[in-house]
Amino acid sequence: MELGTPVLDNHLHLDPEHGRGIDAVEDFARLGGTHLLVVNKPSWHLGVEAESGEDFRAVFETTLAVVERASTVLSGRAWPVLGVHPGLVSRLVRDRGFEPGAARDLMCDGLDVAAEYVGEGRALALKSGRPHYDVPEAVWEASNDVLRHALALGADRDCAVQLHTETTEDLTAVGAWAEERGLPSEKVVKHYAGSTLAGVTPSVMSEPDWLREAADRGEPFLMETDFVDDPDRPGAVLGPKTVPRRVRTLLDEGYDDAVRLAHVETPRRVYGIDTESTLG
């Protein structure tokens, strides 16, 4: 089903072993989806209880393999986004007895490995953040240290950084942290964002009202589902067909410029990717 435009889901997960994997990509493509940014699942969801940064390689390699397969299905292509889920800090501190500082160091080591993949051209961007739930002050500070480390790596590798954070409409402080480290704040992306985020680029969850609000604002934004590909959580967040369906709705309602902004101009500006020239 051609929509006459590139259609990018900026943030979803694929689990080729336990989830729908490539079947989900085929659903996306059948509805007119063309491009994907595939974020590695949390390490422990893939059975990896990391003891060192090197242990994250298994997670990253699984993601690269499914991205390669996804690109054979799409009329465009998929790119991997690699990093360490910020929720790992709680698993380390609460469940595995790590001190916050030791948890921070392990997560930073994992991000260093992810940045190697970016430097080699095997991954497009990094993923980091901080817990979206209440944590002790020491854990919060450790998490912010990890986030700042990710921003510094993004500046060093000249790549975007996707963030998982608390629900907020204002990340200007985080945008300032990025700028201080040499990473333009527009290359910091808050995933699971609403339509009125300040400070960094919003990756708007593809709820119709949120998308219309983002379109009416006319500022750079991306669209996502955060599809988790977890058979134990059916119906969690949005399914892989959602972004192309929402694009069709936006086009039907006359939001052609907003669709181009979200699927051509903002991806070029944030990630340096060309969703038009990569169409088959």
Side-chain angles (χ1 to χ4, degrees):
M1 185 182 296
E2 294 294 331
L3 295 173
T5 177
V7 175
L8 169 72
D9 188 334
N10 179 67
H11 184 110
L12 88 168
H13 307 278
L14 295 173
D15 188 334
E17 238 183 277
H18 310 102
R20 299 193 60 222
I22 297 303
D23 288 345
V25 179
E26 290 175 344
D27 281 351
F28 174 75
R30 270 195 299 270
L31 271 291
T34 61
H35 295 80
L36 294 171
L37 263 59
V38 181
V39 183
N40 63 264
K41 294 190 77 171
S43 50
W44 63 97
H45 286 187
L46 295 178
V48 174
E49 298 290 355
E51 300 284 349
S52 71
E54 288 296 315
D55 292 340
F56 289 95
R57 285 193 190 275
V59 177
F60 301 155
E61 291 292 340
T62 295
T63 306
L64 265 61
V66 75
V67 164
E68 184 175 358
R69 289 183 61 201
S71 289
T72 67
V73 172
L74 298 167
S75 60
R77 60 163 295 182
W79 290 272
V81 176
L82 304 181
V84 179
H85 193 285
L88 179 61
V89 71
S90 295
R91 190 169 182 87
L92 293 172
V93 172
R94 182 188 62 217
D95 300 338
R96 294 178 57 191
F98 278 62
E99 292 297 322
R104 173 200 63 213
D105 293 346
L106 174 57
M107 294 171 72
C108 287
D109 288 347
L111 284 166
D112 289 343
V113 174
E116 290 179 20
Y117 285 84
V118 175
E120 294 165 357
R122 301 179 66 198
L124 179 67
L126 297 172
K127 184 264 180 72
S128 186
R130 60 192 182 195
H132 64 273
Y133 47 85
D134 291 336
V135 293
E137 185 64 25
V139 172
W140 181 252
E141 287 305 319
S143 298
N144 277 320
D145 287 345
V146 174
L147 192 163
R148 286 187 283 260
H149 184 65
L151 298 175
L153 289 172
D156 182 61
R157 301 296 182 179
D158 189 25
C159 72
V161 180
Q162 285 198 17
L163 298 181
H164 173 114
T165 76
E166 72 280 8
T167 300
T168 180
E169 294 183 353
D170 187 358
L171 284 179
T172 52
V174 172
W177 291 348
E179 296 280 354
E180 289 166 5
R181 287 157 179 78
L183 180 67
S185 59
E186 67 184 16
K187 298 187 75 167
V188 181
V189 178
K190 174 174 166 49
H191 113 83
Y192 210 112
S195 58
T196 58
L197 180 70
V200 302
T201 299
S203 182
V204 179
M205 280 295 287
S206 294
E207 300 289 355
D209 288 345
W210 291 8
L211 292 175
R212 291 186 186 99
E213 290 170 3
D216 287 337
R217 292 183 75 201
E219 297 180 7
F221 75 103
L222 298 153
M223 291 173 59
E224 70 165 80
T225 57
D226 190 26
F227 175 62
V228 296
D229 204 9
D230 185 343
D232 294 329
R233 299 173 62 197
V237 292
L238 301 175
K241 299 177 183 178
T242 306
V243 167
R245 282 175 169 164
R246 299 293 188 257
V247 167
R248 175 169 292 279
T249 298
L250 289 171
L251 291 172
D252 287 346
E253 294 177 359
Y255 286 108
D256 299 57
D257 290 346
V259 168
R260 181 170 181 81
L261 179 62
H263 296 276
V264 178
E265 295 172 8
T266 305
R268 181 185 295 122
R269 182 175 181 177
V270 172
Y271 300 108
I273 58 177
D274 188 335
T275 57
E276 291 180 311
S277 68
T278 49
L279 280 174

